[in-house]
Amino acid sequence: MNKLLSAVVLIYITLLFPSLANAQAEQQIKAEIQKKLGPNVKVKSVSATPVTGLYEVLVGNEIFYTDASGKYLIQGEIIELASGKNITEQRQTDLNRIKWTDLNQANAIKTVRGNGSRQLAVFSDPNCGYCKRLEKSLQQLDNVTVYTYLIPILGADSLQKSKQILCSADPYKAYIDWMINGTAPSGKTDCNTPLDKNTAFAKTYGITGTPTLFFTDGSRFPGAVQITDIEKKFSTLK
């Protein structure tokens, strides 16, 4: 038993100490990079990459790289030549991913077409031209449930229109009338709306532009995504 126990302890130490050394190195590099970038830039994390001696530096949700001494800050992508895999792109996708359950559907304008089996969340500003273009494309989708979260990030008029849309008797109709038909919303703006909650969510998850789409696997698609790309993504979720 003593020999067996000793062997187990030896294996544990062998596995543990390299990880502790790596963690210590990463913390030292993080401190060095943070010192050089200054207090106005927050370094979220530093972690080893598959490339020996190269470390990922995460600033917000932006990816940079550095050497083991923290002397250089490198912008660019890591691509594995053997497979063609873009490691940086995959990492960025993972960073941008959310949990679908984190979305509070009660704060969205909900519309269902067909059987509603496919689900999609859209963050939109009523004065966003690309959002209007996207909304026209979304009309082509069938068997879908779309949750539209208004975030008035383009100014006071966006806030006014968002309130008027959400305070109307039929928010979805008011939204479509404006986004597709050009009929401006009107009416009251003093009802309780989820705009503050939507804006807070956007800030927490780094949603800085509209439109931004999310699928049930948590993946994020920014911009006026083509309908073919949306259908392609849906096909991977089946």
Side-chain angles (χ1 to χ4, degrees):
M1 283 297 292
N2 289 338
K3 290 183 179 180
L4 178 59
L5 181 58
S6 297
V8 171
V9 170
L10 181 60
I11 293 171
Y12 178 75
I13 291 174
T14 302
L15 295 174
L16 178 62
F17 274 80
S19 63
L20 288 176
N22 290 337
Q24 185 177 21
E26 290 167 359
Q27 287 303 311
Q28 289 174 346
I29 296 170
K30 179 182 177 182
E32 185 65 24
I33 291 291
Q34 184 65 75
K35 181 174 66 176
K36 290 176 178 176
L37 293 179
N40 293 328
V41 178
K42 177 64 175 177
V43 178
K44 186 183 291 185
S45 66
V46 170
S47 56
T49 73
V51 182
T52 303
L54 192 66
Y55 292 80
E56 176 196 282
V57 179
L58 195 59
V59 179
N61 267 14
E62 292 190 68
I63 296 174
F64 301 92
Y65 298 101
T66 191
D67 61 305
S69 67
K71 183 177 181 180
Y72 301 99
L73 194 65
I74 305 165
Q75 288 182 297
E77 298 179 334
I78 299 175
I79 298 174
E80 186 180 71
L81 293 178
S83 64
K85 178 182 177 182
N86 189 322
I87 294 173
T88 305
E89 183 179 64
Q90 182 59 58
R91 175 72 170 131
Q92 192 69 67
T93 298
D94 292 340
L95 288 170
N96 288 335
R97 197 179 299 275
I98 67 167
K99 290 183 179 179
W100 178 260
T101 53
D102 287 347
L103 291 164
N104 188 339
Q105 296 173 0
N107 295 335
I109 300 172
K110 178 182 177 181
T111 183
V112 179
R113 298 194 193 96
N115 61 27
S117 58
R118 306 184 298 177
Q119 298 184 80
L120 178 69
V122 181
F123 282 77
S124 175
D125 182 300
N127 283 328
C128 162
Y130 288 108
C131 299
K132 293 177 181 179
R133 183 189 303 179
L134 174 66
E135 194 56 53
K136 290 179 181 178
S137 296
L138 293 180
Q139 301 303 306
Q140 304 172 45
L141 291 175
D142 196 14
N143 296 328
V144 66
T145 300
V146 180
Y147 299 93
T148 302
Y149 295 84
L150 295 184
I151 49 171
I153 61 176
L154 297 178
D157 187 65
S158 292
L159 178 60
Q160 172 84 1
K161 283 187 171 67
S162 294
K163 287 182 177 180
Q164 289 174 322
I165 289 169
L166 292 171
C167 290
S168 67
D170 187 340
Y172 179 69
K173 182 179 183 303
Y175 179 71
I176 293 301
D177 281 347
W178 168 241
M179 300 297 280
I180 294 181
N181 303 322
T183 303
S186 60
K188 64 181 182 177
T189 60
D190 58 351
C191 70
N192 290 325
T193 73
L195 292 174
D196 287 344
K197 294 178 181 178
N198 290 351
T199 302
F201 183 95
K203 183 177 180 179
T204 298
Y205 289 90
I207 303 170
T208 57
T210 54
T212 297
L213 291 74
F214 289 99
F215 293 84
T216 52
D217 67 346
S219 58
R220 174 190 315 222
F221 283 43
V225 184
Q226 297 293 320
I227 192 70
T228 51
D229 292 328
I230 295 175
E231 289 286 8
K232 183 178 178 180
K233 178 61 183 179
F234 274 139
S235 70
T236 69
L237 301 175
K238 293 179 180 178

